[in-house]
Amino acid sequence: MEEFELFLFLVHDILLEYGVFLIIALGCYVTMMSGQLSMAHGALAGIGAYATATISYTWGLPPLLGLFAGMLGGVVGGLFLTYVVSFRLFGMYLAIATFAFNEALAVVWRNVDFVGGTLGIVGIKMIDEILPIHIWEPIDDLWILIIVVALVSFFLWRFEMSYLGRSFRATFDDERIAEAMGVNLRRVKMLSWVIGGAIAGLGGALYAHNIGIIRPDNFQIPFSVLVLLAPVIGGYTRFWGVYVGAFIIVFGPHICDWVRDYIGAGLNGNAPETKMMLFRGLYVGVTLWRPDGLADRRGFPRKSVNVFRLISRQHAARAN
Amino acid sequence: MEAFIQQLINGLSLGAIYALIALGYNLIFGVMNILTFAHGTVVMIGAYTVLIAHEKLGIDFAVAVVLGLAVATLTGLLVERVAVRPIRNNPWAVIIATFGMAIVIEHAMRQYKDIPARPVPFPSPFEHTYFYLFEGARVSLLQLGIFSIGLVLMIGLLLLIYRTKMGMAIRAVAQSPHIAETMGINLRKVAIYSFAIASVVGGAVGILYAIYYQSIYIHVGSQFLGLKGLVIVIVAGAGNIPGSLITGLMLGVLEALTIGYIGSEVRDLVAYSTLFLVLIFRPSGLFGEQARVEFKV
């Protein structure tokens, strides 16, 4: 019985991790919907996490306020990226510039003593203190997360069908034709960063409340690449592709851990290294096997868009 | 003034390293229009091969250097074969596959018992001799060696790219792959050549870096040198090889001056804030001509 309870605790923790990661990845998905390829959503989530940590830990205000502050922080970061990067660059160049934004922000966090410098902030309130809903004590935090995920999913479901969502899609397919059809490109690009930033900031705030500790290292490039991987691995046509991608990314390391146990407890005793090696190998394999994503493409009758072909097209258009 | 000249000298030798690493990125980016995140790992492999061959196996340093360059080249070609060629038309998948590849290689190396994550000392072939210039600024033999080797490599590469037939093919593909192909240039061959050149130079950069700082750590490529190279490519304007060399030298000097006058903790911020300033005031890059905005919005 003891072992079974331990297993349930593990599943509970992984589910929390999955929900939080899913929200951040959905933020990345919204930005990618308009063809803006971002490697900065880890950093936007970091802004949200630091915002809620400052509000609920340093100032002692209610954590619910922290969630909204996190969203606001994500919006501010998104606006910065819109005006400085997104209006000026495209394709690969945009990716490198957002990448640099991510690294620069980590340096900033490290050098600001107010948010704890390199050590970060420890002892942030846990998720179940956000809302006063207490149904059954062991899974109170899960309820809150499910509510947030449901709200975000509902928003995305309605959003994709809306005029704005379809103009995002049109911009993704071809910026020139979209503009010729009357889509306001400036507005679409800005809104994709603002909405994506808000969702990523909300996810980052929940991330802080989930693990209780934040450090600058948590929001660096490796995290951003994982966030980006969720839509890319999962599939890109509809938002539920992200659910599949996030599932692989969150459960993948645990599965690799079991595999590592099976093949002999870490070659040379380096357990985390072996786990990460197997996991990265797994996702490289998935990328090489199905570069278009797992969840959609083959077997679906409707014509699907392909983020990769889009980027090559953007570069080819420039070259001609 | 003394301190200024001293930091200038330090910066030039660091800048030579940056310039060479940016060159590798620029070659691959210019020719194939893809970003490889595994280049930093190739750099690291070069230095580690020398370390293991020289310290553990007792091979002569010069032979170990040749071995290091060879292993770095092979690693570069392996990355090209496994993570680039099959998904060549999907630049975004290439980013993810090469990033994953880099981490797989680094963690695979960590499985070997004698490679710790912390920095390890690196043997230096130069003696600790200093030359004193006017006004008391001093330059060490090490710095002089690094800078002159870097300069020789740069000039050699520029000659290779601008004066040989292979270099002409590389430049032609960078300008327009389609027209180059109709002129009878084998695109796959050019891709392999550019990866090989970038990896040889990358291996050399890794060894120079390790000699300069007299230590090396396993994530040096992916967490430090690789990032600088990417930033330089954007600041200089992609596809411009002399431009990226000059930008690399300038960035090295700027960083050294920052360390000297402000402090080493904001060192990494220099590169990134330079990047954003360049983006705001000159979006096409310092030496770039092609506008990088898809469309004036």
Side-chain angles (χ1 to χ4, degrees):
Chain A
M1 211 54 214
E2 181 95 343
E3 226 169 62
F4 184 66
E5 268 176 27
L6 217 63
F7 178 73
L8 280 188
F9 271 121
L10 185 68
V11 169
H12 176 234
D13 279 359
I14 298 177
L15 280 178
L16 282 177
E17 197 187 332
Y18 175 65
V20 170
F21 185 80
L22 178 64
I23 294 170
I24 302 176
L26 284 173
C28 190
Y29 168 79
V30 172
T31 306
M32 285 170 79
M33 246 172 102
S34 70
Q36 304 286 298
L37 294 161
S38 158
M39 295 181 79
H41 272 72
L44 293 178
I47 298 178
Y50 271 102
T52 190
T54 310
I55 292 224
S56 66
Y57 177 77
T58 315
W59 295 343
L61 295 171
L64 191 60
L65 207 63
L67 289 193
F68 288 106
M71 286 175 83
L72 196 67
V75 168
V76 172
L79 280 176
F80 176 83
L81 283 170
T82 316
Y83 280 101
V84 176
V85 179
S86 167
F87 283 170
R88 291 159 196 278
L89 303 172
F90 75 100
M92 283 303 176
Y93 305 102
L94 181 74
I96 307 181
T98 51
F99 170 95
F101 171 79
N102 201 332
E103 286 295 304
L105 207 62
V107 179
V108 171
W109 295 135
R110 273 200 204 101
N111 287 293
V112 177
D113 288 335
F114 178 67
V115 292
T118 320
L119 297 175
I121 298 176
V122 182
I124 304 160
K125 284 175 187 156
M126 298 318 265
I127 281 188
D128 49 0
E129 292 173 65
I130 292 176
L131 283 180
I133 311 176
H134 296 289
I135 301 170
W136 182 40
E137 211 255 316
I139 57 165
D140 273 346
D141 35 9
L142 217 50
W143 288 125
I144 294 165
L145 208 58
I146 287 171
I147 291 170
V148 179
V149 169
L151 282 176
V152 172
S153 301
F154 179 73
F155 169 76
L156 281 177
W157 179 54
R158 296 306 303 160
F159 177 75
E160 281 196 333
M161 303 295 182
S162 71
Y163 170 77
L164 199 61
R166 279 178 285 129
S167 59
F168 273 35
R169 281 285 175 219
T171 313
F172 181 102
D173 280 344
D174 194 315
E175 287 191 3
R176 285 153 207 264
I177 295 175
E179 179 147 62
M181 290 296 164
V183 171
N184 184 345
L185 276 191
R186 236 182 135 81
R187 184 164 147 238
V188 163
K189 284 189 177 175
M190 187 163 83
L191 277 177
S192 72
W193 280 101
V194 164
I195 299 174
I199 297 177
L202 176 67
L206 286 168
Y207 180 95
H209 288 300
N210 182 27
I211 58 175
I213 304 166
I214 51 171
R215 287 184 299 131
D217 304 7
N218 293 352
F219 305 106
Q220 270 184 291
I221 284 299
F223 184 62
S224 287
V225 170
L226 284 188
V227 169
L228 178 73
L229 264 174
V232 170
I233 280 192
Y236 200 69
T237 325
R238 291 300 304 276
F239 69 92
W240 43 260
V242 182
Y243 288 60
V244 180
F247 182 87
I248 291 174
I249 286 162
V250 173
F251 285 77
H254 297 282
I255 294 165
C256 289
D257 221 13
W258 291 329
V259 171
R260 183 188 56 76
D261 274 347
Y262 186 71
I263 63 174
L267 315 152
N268 186 30
N270 282 332
E273 270 79 15
T274 314
K275 182 177 82 176
M276 284 328 277
M277 186 178 81
L278 291 173
F279 173 54
R280 302 296 159 140
L282 174 82
Y283 85 59
V284 171
V286 169
T287 316
L288 292 175
W289 174 44
R290 297 194 75 164
D292 299 350
L294 278 176
D296 40 19
R297 310 287 172 264
R298 281 172 242 171
F300 281 77
R302 71 190 260 269
K303 190 177 170 294
S304 52
V305 279
N306 182 335
V307 62
F308 306 124
R309 261 168 239 145
L310 172 83
I311 300 304
S312 353
R313 218 185 304 142
Q314 282 182 354
H315 281 273
R318 287 308 321 172
N320 291 333
Chain B
M1 194 62 197
E2 259 172 50
F4 179 77
I5 290 176
Q6 185 66 56
Q7 293 300 341
L8 202 67
I9 292 166
N10 295 348
L12 279 177
S13 30
L14 184 63
I17 291 172
Y18 284 168
L20 285 170
I21 193 153
L23 191 136
Y25 273 111
N26 220 332
L27 209 55
I28 295 172
F29 189 87
V31 170
M32 306 178 72
N33 220 338
I34 54 152
L35 272 181
T36 161
F37 273 63
H39 194 58
T41 306
V42 171
V43 169
M44 179 274 296
I45 290 266
Y48 262 92
T49 312
V50 174
L51 185 69
I52 292 168
H54 185 64
E55 301 260 291
K56 297 270 180 322
L57 307 179
I59 297 173
D60 187 56
F61 194 82
V63 182
V65 166
V66 175
L67 204 64
L69 295 182
V71 173
T73 314
L74 287 180
T75 316
L77 292 178
L78 180 79
V79 169
E80 198 266 344
R81 182 70 193 82
V82 174
V84 176
R85 204 185 296 170
I87 46 177
R88 168 84 183 75
N89 294 325
N90 303 344
W92 205 242
V94 169
I95 288 188
I96 283 161
T98 50
F99 190 87
M101 225 10 228
I103 292 176
V104 168
I105 293 174
E106 282 172 14
H107 286 300
M109 280 182 68
R110 286 277 282 111
Q111 302 297 334
Y112 179 57
K113 207 182 276 109
D114 292 340
I115 300 180
R118 61 182 163 75
V120 286
F122 195 84
S124 168
F126 296 103
E127 291 167 30
H128 287 279
T129 321
Y130 293 97
F131 304 106
Y132 287 87
L133 297 178
F134 59 97
E135 297 198 41
R138 66 179 193 181
V139 50
S140 68
L141 186 63
L142 179 69
Q143 285 173 328
L144 217 58
I146 299 283
F147 187 69
S148 43
I149 293 174
L151 213 59
V152 167
L153 274 175
M154 280 181 220
I155 293 169
L157 276 164
L158 287 180
L159 286 179
L160 186 72
I161 291 165
Y162 286 95
R163 286 286 178 273
T164 64
K165 211 167 178 188
M166 187 170 85
M168 197 197 257
I170 288 177
R171 280 181 295 136
V173 173
Q175 271 182 10
S176 169
H178 299 296
I179 295 176
E181 199 169 21
T182 56
M183 294 294 160
I185 293 170
N186 187 341
L187 287 188
R188 180 179 289 182
K189 233 181 202 168
V190 170
I192 293 174
Y193 280 147
S194 52
F195 252 91
I197 297 171
S199 307
V200 172
V201 178
V205 172
I207 297 165
L208 286 181
Y209 175 88
I211 292 173
Y212 187 52
Y213 284 101
Q214 291 167 19
S215 72
I216 186 87
Y217 57 102
I218 197 116
H219 299 302
V220 67
S222 55
Q223 291 178 1
F224 175 69
L225 282 173
L227 310 185
K228 292 287 159 61
L230 280 176
V231 169
I232 292 169
V233 168
I234 280 238
V235 170
N240 189 329
I241 286 170
S244 71
L245 292 179
I246 296 171
T247 313
L249 285 174
M250 286 193 324
L251 184 68
V253 171
L254 259 180
E255 280 198 357
L257 291 178
T258 313
I259 293 172
Y261 286 99
I262 301 172
S264 58
E265 67 275 3
V266 289
R267 167 190 183 169
D268 286 344
L269 214 52
V270 177
Y272 302 126
S273 45
T274 314
L275 173 74
F276 282 115
L277 286 179
V278 168
L279 282 186
I280 291 169
F281 293 110
R282 199 175 150 75
S284 57
L286 286 181
F287 300 93
E289 288 148 23
Q290 187 188 18
R292 290 185 297 203
V293 193
E294 167 75 331
F295 214 48
K296 261 270 179 295
V297 282

